[in-house]
């Protein structure tokens, strides 16, 4: 049985997995009314809720701490103070329980959890707050085929939502407003398999200042930004010859994005997979899930070498040595 800890950004989570089955997926998220995430504040939040979320997960999973074989922890990438809290907590618990730690890359976990939906070798469109990447496995590693060249899609949406005064997180609210909007032209920027959002953001803000309705702007934002993501994903499918598209990240909860991806896949004869919302957003079940896969292939750090085990805030997806495949 593997217990996983997630703490890369605003979410502190603890998940329990056994034989590929999720027994618990608990979390507590740091939120702000105004402005973005303050890393030190988020880390403080994680420190304060860690014991409670851990206990909650143990109870939900109906297991006993002594059944835990190892602790998986998201080691990378993310905000350093937040990652540090997760790592400190993981080490404390691992020493208490006398079990090894399995370091996990958060982005790869978003991809691997897709196996639960039946995807076996997909292109992942990872659309979250800070990250926007098109990732797939090729020649021994997870490769980033395309990504945002400026800001993440979620941060872009949240930034615009704050500007028009509808609060945080903006994604779900923009999705609602879009339902009664119509299309107006806004800039579209895809470069190969890369995308850019900051020009689009400026343009949307200017149009809002000139009196264009929130509904029309929300609708056009979604149609344009999501079409960019779909185009980049389709190019990655064509380039790699893969036949499956998988969604990951909080923005993937958006039903219009899901619909656009589904249509593209149908048109090119590919299969489309989308995990349930609780596994799309940042969560610890995916950390435990990938942790178990790594553990079964012999990846673990024993207590004796904990001193050498550190966080890796800037690790790139294609830096990860994939020895479990
Ligand atoms: P990262 O994982 O890159 O560190 P994060 O922790 O902010 O980023 P997630 O929890 O995966 O990412 O996703 C949060 C984002 O998802 C927010 O930007 C939020 O607005 C967006 N989001 C949530 N639900 C929806 C929705 N229905 N439509 C669009 N966006 C959504
Ligand atoms: Fe994430």
């Amino acid at each position: 049985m593997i217990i996983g800890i997630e703490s890369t950004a605003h979410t502190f989570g603890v998940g329990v997995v056994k034989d590929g089955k999720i027994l618990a997926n608990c979390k507590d998220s740091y939120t702000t009314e105004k402005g973005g995430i303050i890393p030190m504040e988020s880390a403080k939040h994680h420190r304060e809720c860690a014991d409670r979320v851990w206990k909650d997960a143990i109870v939900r999973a109906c297991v006993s701490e002594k059944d835990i074989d190892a602790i998986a922890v998201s080691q990378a990438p993310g905000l350093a103070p937040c990652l540090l809290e997760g790592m400190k907590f993981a080490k404390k618990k691992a020493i208490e329980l006398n079990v090894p730690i399995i370091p996990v890359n958060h982005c790869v976990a978003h991809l691997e959890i897709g196996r639960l939906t039946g995807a076996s070798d997909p292109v992942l469109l990872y659309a979250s707050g800070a990250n926007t990447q098109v990732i797939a496995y090729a020649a021994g590693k997870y490769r980033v085929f395309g990504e945002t060249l400026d800001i993440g899609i979620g941060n872009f949406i949240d930034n615009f939502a704050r500007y028009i005064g509808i609060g945080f997180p903006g994604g779900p609210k923009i999705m609602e407003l879009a339902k009664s909007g119509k299309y107006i032209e806004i800039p579209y920027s895809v470069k190969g398999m890369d995308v850019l959002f900051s020009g689009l953001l400026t343009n949307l803000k200017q149009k809002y200042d000139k009196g264009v309705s929130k509904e029309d702007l929300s609708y056009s934002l979604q149609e344009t930004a999501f079409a960019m993501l779909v185009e980049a994903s389709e190019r990655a499918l064509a380039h790699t010859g893969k036949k499956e598209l998988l969604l990951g990240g909080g923005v993937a909860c958006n039903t219009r994005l899901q619909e656009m991806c589904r249509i593209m896949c149908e048109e090119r004869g590919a299969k489309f997979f989308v995990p349930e919302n609780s596994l799309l957003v940042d969560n610890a079940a995916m950390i435990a899930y990938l942790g178990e896969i790594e553990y079964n292939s012999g990846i673990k750090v024993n207590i004796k070498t904990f001193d050498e085990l550190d966080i890796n805030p800037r690790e790139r997806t294609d830096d990860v040595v994939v020895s479990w495949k």
Side-chain angles (χ1 to χ4, degrees):
M1 192 174 76
I2 307 295
I3 196 157
I5 298 171
E6 158 63 26
S7 76
T8 55
H10 50 63
T11 298
F12 183 85
V14 180
V16 182
V17 165
K18 187 176 166 61
D19 300 329
K21 284 208 180 63
I22 297 171
L23 305 182
N25 187 15
C26 300
K27 64 170 189 169
D28 194 302
S29 297
Y30 158 84
T31 52
T32 47
E33 273 307 309
K34 272 211 168 82
I37 179 169
I38 302 160
M40 293 306 285
E41 288 295 315
S42 184
K44 180 164 170 274
H45 161 270
H46 296 350
R47 192 160 59 241
E48 286 169 0
C49 73
D51 279 312
R52 180 170 46 77
V53 180
W54 171 280
K55 282 193 192 114
D56 197 17
I58 297 284
V59 170
R60 287 277 176 93
C62 295
V63 295
S64 149
E65 281 193 346
K66 66 178 191 325
D67 300 327
I68 296 168
D69 294 304
I71 299 178
V73 63
S74 52
Q75 178 194 31
L79 303 169
C82 301
L83 285 166
L84 265 180
E85 286 306 326
M87 184 59 81
K88 266 198 285 189
F89 185 71
K91 284 184 182 173
K92 186 184 93 175
K93 285 291 177 184
I95 290 167
E96 260 175 51
L97 302 171
N98 192 27
V99 294
I101 286 182
I102 314 155
V104 167
N105 177 288
H106 176 95
C107 301
V108 176
H110 272 293
L111 199 146
E112 291 283 359
I113 196 68
R115 289 193 196 192
L116 276 184
T117 62
S120 61
D121 183 22
V123 166
L124 171 74
L125 171 57
Y126 175 30
S128 72
N131 294 293
T132 305
Q133 295 185 326
V134 179
I135 305 170
Y137 185 75
K141 290 205 167 164
Y142 285 105
R143 314 266 171 193
V144 177
F145 284 89
E147 64 187 319
T148 176
L149 299 179
D150 46 33
I151 49 176
I153 175 97
N155 290 353
F156 154 66
I157 294 175
D158 293 338
N159 186 313
F160 180 65
R162 280 207 185 88
Y163 193 76
I164 63 172
I166 57 172
F168 176 85
K173 289 169 187 156
I174 294 282
M175 189 168 89
E176 278 314 300
L177 285 170
K179 287 181 181 157
S180 45
K182 60 178 188 315
Y183 182 74
I184 46 164
E185 198 163 325
I186 48 175
Y188 180 96
S189 19
V190 179
K191 310 260 179 252
M193 285 180 254
D194 294 327
V195 291
L196 296 101
F197 297 110
S198 54
L200 185 49
L201 178 60
T202 308
N203 190 277
L204 284 163
K205 288 178 175 174
Q206 285 167 349
K207 288 204 163 67
Y208 179 70
D209 290 342
K210 286 190 189 128
V212 181
S213 78
K214 290 177 183 176
E215 288 78 6
D216 289 355
L217 291 171
S218 299
Y219 180 79
S220 309
L221 176 157
Q222 289 200 159
E223 294 305 302
T224 307
F226 295 167
M228 286 161 51
L229 298 182
V230 171
E231 181 185 335
S233 306
E234 179 167 29
R235 203 161 281 151
L237 284 169
H239 180 77
T240 58
K242 294 190 195 286
K243 298 262 177 281
E244 299 175 341
L245 179 68
L246 171 71
L247 278 181
V251 180
C253 297
N254 188 299
T255 50
R256 178 59 181 147
L257 175 60
Q258 294 177 4
E259 183 184 21
M260 288 167 78
C261 289
R262 191 172 288 117
I263 293 169
M264 181 271 282
C265 286
E266 273 167 21
E267 284 177 355
R268 58 175 298 116
K271 284 188 186 154
F272 175 60
F273 299 94
V274 54
E276 60 178 79
N277 284 3
S278 63
L279 298 175
L280 285 173
V281 297
D282 283 352
N283 70 89
M286 69 179 187
I287 304 300
Y289 186 84
L290 175 53
E292 187 176 54
I293 294 172
E294 291 189 21
Y295 183 79
N296 289 338
S297 79
I299 300 172
K300 59 181 181 214
V301 179
N302 290 314
I303 294 178
K304 272 185 279 179
T305 49
F306 274 6
D307 284 351
E308 292 157 34
L309 179 62
D310 203 357
I311 58 164
N312 204 346
R314 294 184 181 282
E315 181 173 68
R316 300 270 311 163
T317 305
D318 38 19
D319 289 337
V320 180
V321 180
V322 184
S323 56
W324 61 87
K325 269 182 107 90

